[in-house]
Amino acid sequence: MSESKLAGQFFDAAIGLLQRVRDEEAANVADAGAAIADTVAAGGRLFAFGAGHSSLAAQDVVYRAGGFALMNLLAVPGVVGVDVMPATLGSALERVEGLAGAVLDSSPARSGDVLVIISLSGRNALPVEMAMNARALGLKVIGVTSVAYAEETKSRHVSGTFLKDHCDIVLDSKIAVGDAELTHEGIEAPFAPASTVVTSALMQATMAAAAEQLVERGIEPPLLRSGNVDGGHDWNGRVMTEYRDRIFFRH
């Protein structure tokens, strides 16, 4: 079978976006990594949140080989994935005001912790209020979003603001409004979204920056190993025990 032209175009688009965020967001990624390292060093906890497909990048840094054992998923029932029925309910819940406050109030997050909030558009009530409430509680908020949405769309929150307006650090994914990289004659809708690729890369780059910061301070980063390599289970058991009071996905 001959090579797919459209597949190649998607790879080119994704690589272009990755190069752009690498170059244009380098300082912000370093700042985010430093904030995470500060929190780890100070005995704080780490949380990540995302709704819908934005939750994929949050899940990608929680309980995984090569990841920080301290990163916890701040889950909101019904909005983390497409397993809720009907799937459209998840999108509807993102627009419900007051939900973020209820989730934070019942979570283990506290002042001094870090919360990474991932929302491509950053325009819905849930991520906006999550950031507002988290900062009011004394958490440091890192937002991963596309600033283009704040420039080209209207907020769905009563304040008229976006996620980016309530963050200590913003990582701009540079994804265009609509999240579809390709168009083609004979295909009416744009297609091939790249937000997951880019946002996950931003998250992993940030965690790498945090690991770099920690080792420069003489602190061993609390990393997990693959359970599919020899010694992995023993290593992870030791890390989980050492940091058990800051890990919540085991409870």
Side-chain angles (χ1 to χ4, degrees), residues 32-244:
I36 289 172
D38 288 343
T39 301
V40 172
R45 291 84 60 81
L46 309 175
F47 298 89
F49 165 77
H53 286 92
S54 289
S55 73
L56 295 174
Q59 294 178 58
D60 193 42
V61 293
V62 176
Y63 184 54
R64 66 158 303 143
F68 276 43
L70 303 188
M71 183 61 81
N72 301 276
L73 186 68
L74 186 66
V76 178
V79 306
V80 173
V82 294
D83 56 335
V84 62
M85 293 295 289
T88 50
L89 177 60
S91 297
L93 287 173
E94 287 187 61
R95 305 178 190 182
V96 174
E97 296 182 9
L99 181 57
V103 168
L104 277 171
D105 287 345
S106 60
S107 80
R110 65 190 184 195
S111 180
D113 293 345
V114 162
L115 172 60
V116 183
I117 301 176
I118 305 167
S119 174
L120 178 60
S121 73
R123 68 191 296 228
N124 289 311
L126 185 55
V128 172
E129 291 187 354
M130 190 71 77
M132 295 173 70
N133 281 272
R135 291 181 88 185
L137 290 172
L139 279 77
K140 177 156 282 190
V141 176
I142 299 169
V144 186
T145 188
S146 170
V147 173
Y149 276 84
E151 297 171 345
E152 301 176 35
T153 69
K154 292 183 178 181
S155 171
R156 289 185 175 135
H157 187 251
V158 64
S159 68
T161 60
F162 288 76
L163 168 61
K164 74 173 186 65
D165 300 316
H166 306 284
C167 298
D168 297 286
I169 302 166
V170 175
L171 304 181
D172 183 4
S173 64
K174 317 293 183 182
I175 300 295
V177 173
D179 192 18
E181 294 301 317
L182 302 182
T183 57
H184 189 68
E185 185 178 355
I187 302 178
E188 293 191 19
F191 57 101
S195 61
T196 302
V197 173
V198 177
T199 305
S200 289
L202 274 169
M203 289 299 298
Q204 294 297 346
T206 297
M207 301 313 294
E212 181 180 28
Q213 284 272 341
L214 285 169
V215 76
E216 287 178 355
R217 305 178 195 188
I219 300 172
E220 175 72 22
L223 296 168
L224 296 172
R225 291 181 181 267
S226 172
N228 296 313
V229 299
D230 292 342
H233 284 297
D234 291 339
W235 172 281
N236 292 342
R238 177 182 63 79
V239 172
M240 293 272 200
T241 298
E242 182 177 351
Y243 294 98
R244 60 184 177 274

Side-chain angles (χ1 to χ4, degrees), residues 4-52:
S4 168
K5 178 181 177 181
L6 291 178
Q9 288 179 359
F10 175 76
F11 279 118
D12 289 343
I15 290 168
L17 283 163
L18 288 170
Q19 290 175 329
R20 187 178 171 197
V21 296
R22 178 196 64 191
D23 296 340
E24 298 179 15
E25 295 301 302
N28 293 328
V29 168
D31 288 345
I36 289 172
D38 288 343
T39 301
V40 172
R45 291 84 60 81
L46 309 175
F47 298 89
F49 165 77

